[in-house]
Amino acid sequence: MNKINITLNKYVCNKERVKEKVHEKMKKKRHIGLYVVFASFILIFMGGFIYFNIPTSYVSVDINPSIMLSANSWDRVVKVEGLNKDAKEVISNLNLYGKDVSDAVNQIVNIATNLGYIDENIDDNAILVSTYCDNTEKREQLQDRIHDNLNQSLNKNGIRSLIIDMELTEEDAKKANDYGVSEAKILFVNKALEGNPELKFEDLIYMPTREIAKYIEGYENITNGNKNNNGNGNQYGKKGNYQTEE
């Protein structure tokens, strides 16, 4: 009888140990499952964050401050660079990360106006807005959207300015970096030098955009013959397209 009891006790003990081991294994599996879910969530989040921050297009704004915006596939700003001292002053208190690139351009122009880089009391302000994107169709759409939104903003604020659109290329990047300006301004200065051989590159590179524009052939036709009039004599958002030869 004692032998039977001992055998039964061993069976019960073994059964309990088996249950405990099964319970522990199930517990471990649940923990592993949670870790897998958590790790997957982190990977998805990090992957989305990294993808969000990949630039696919670039927009530069040149007044005298030269500012470069990098935007992702959704036209959201992921990087802002002040290319010269004036630009760093303009963007010092601006948080443009994640904003629509068109809205970012408007904010930059508004701050530049408040700091005196754009004069509200003159007619010959000039803003050089340039875009670069591998996809030509997207570049044109982005350029047009930025131009139209900026034109509306200038109109609303009563600022008279020529908006000059230029297509960015990868050329002259080193020269732009050396002078602390955008590639677009390099191209713009080169355009001005084409019809003014007596001038030197260094004479123009640090001039405000409105001053450089006066040396470009056809500038007067644009500023005097292609204006939008709001009915009270003030003119806004004049558009000039300057293309460089390939």
Side-chain angles (χ1 to χ4, degrees):
M1 190 71 164
N2 286 336
K3 286 183 179 181
I4 294 173
N5 286 335
I6 291 169
T7 304
L8 285 172
N9 287 335
K10 283 183 179 179
Y11 172 77
V12 171
C13 288
N14 288 337
K15 188 177 179 183
E16 289 301 318
R17 286 197 197 101
V18 169
K19 284 174 73 176
E20 284 177 10
K21 286 183 179 180
V22 170
H23 182 68
E24 283 177 10
K25 285 183 178 180
M26 292 296 290
K27 212 170 171 186
K28 284 180 181 178
K29 283 184 179 180
R30 280 199 297 270
H31 287 163
I32 291 170
L34 288 173
Y35 292 146
V36 170
V37 171
F38 182 72
S40 299
F41 176 78
I42 292 295
L43 287 172
I44 291 169
F45 176 78
M46 290 300 295
F49 179 78
I50 292 169
Y51 186 66
F52 183 88
N53 283 282
I54 296 175
T56 58
S57 57
Y58 303 87
V59 177
S60 73
V61 182
D62 290 275
I63 303 162
N64 187 37
S66 292
I67 297 165
M68 178 69 76
L69 303 173
S70 301
N72 62 19
S73 298
W74 299 278
D75 296 337
R76 298 288 171 176
V77 176
V78 295
K79 188 177 181 182
V80 182
E81 296 176 83
L83 302 179
N84 54 19
K85 185 179 178 181
D86 293 339
K88 288 170 183 175
E89 180 187 15
V90 171
I91 65 175
S92 60
N93 294 315
L94 276 178
N95 181 15
L96 300 176
Y97 180 81
K99 292 187 180 294
D100 181 83
V101 68
S102 179
D103 293 337
V105 170
N106 287 351
Q107 286 190 45
I108 288 169
V109 171
N110 288 338
I111 295 295
T113 302
N114 293 338
L115 293 173
Y117 293 107
I118 295 175
D119 191 339
E120 298 175 82
N121 299 313
I122 63 175
D123 293 338
D124 60 350
N125 289 298
I127 303 167
L128 176 60
V129 180
S130 314
T131 56
Y132 173 78
C133 181
D134 287 335
N135 186 313
T136 302
E137 184 179 355
K138 174 162 185 187
R139 184 197 66 77
E140 291 174 352
Q141 290 174 352
L142 182 60
Q143 181 172 287
D144 287 344
R145 186 164 70 84
I146 290 171
H147 180 99
D148 292 342
N149 288 348
L150 180 55
N151 184 35
Q152 289 177 19
S153 178
L154 292 172
N155 196 343
K156 181 180 177 181
N157 294 307
I159 298 171
R160 296 173 290 280
S161 178
L162 174 68
I163 303 172
I164 304 165
D165 299 323
M166 290 189 72
E167 177 182 353
L168 288 181
T169 70
E170 293 181 299
E171 298 174 7
D172 294 321
K174 184 180 182 304
K175 199 170 185 180
N177 185 61
D178 291 342
Y179 282 93
V181 297
S182 70
E183 289 94 333
K185 193 164 188 181
I186 296 290
L187 297 175
F188 197 50
V189 167
N190 288 339
K191 191 71 179 175
L193 291 173
E194 286 178 9
N196 300 277
E198 73 282 2
L199 294 176
K200 294 181 179 179
F201 182 87
E202 288 74 14
D203 295 333
L204 300 177
I205 191 60
Y206 294 120
M207 279 187 180
T209 305
R210 66 171 178 264
E211 296 299 325
I212 301 171
K214 293 176 183 178
Y215 292 102
I216 294 178
E217 185 180 357
Y219 170 78
E220 288 301 322
N221 292 332
I222 294 170
T223 56
N224 293 322
N226 192 24
K227 298 179 179 179
N228 298 321
N229 197 303
N230 68 353
N232 61 10
N234 294 325
Q235 294 147 340
Y236 311 92
K238 297 148 298 198
K239 181 174 182 178
N241 290 294
Y242 294 106
Q243 300 291 333
T244 55
E245 293 182 3
E246 298 294 334

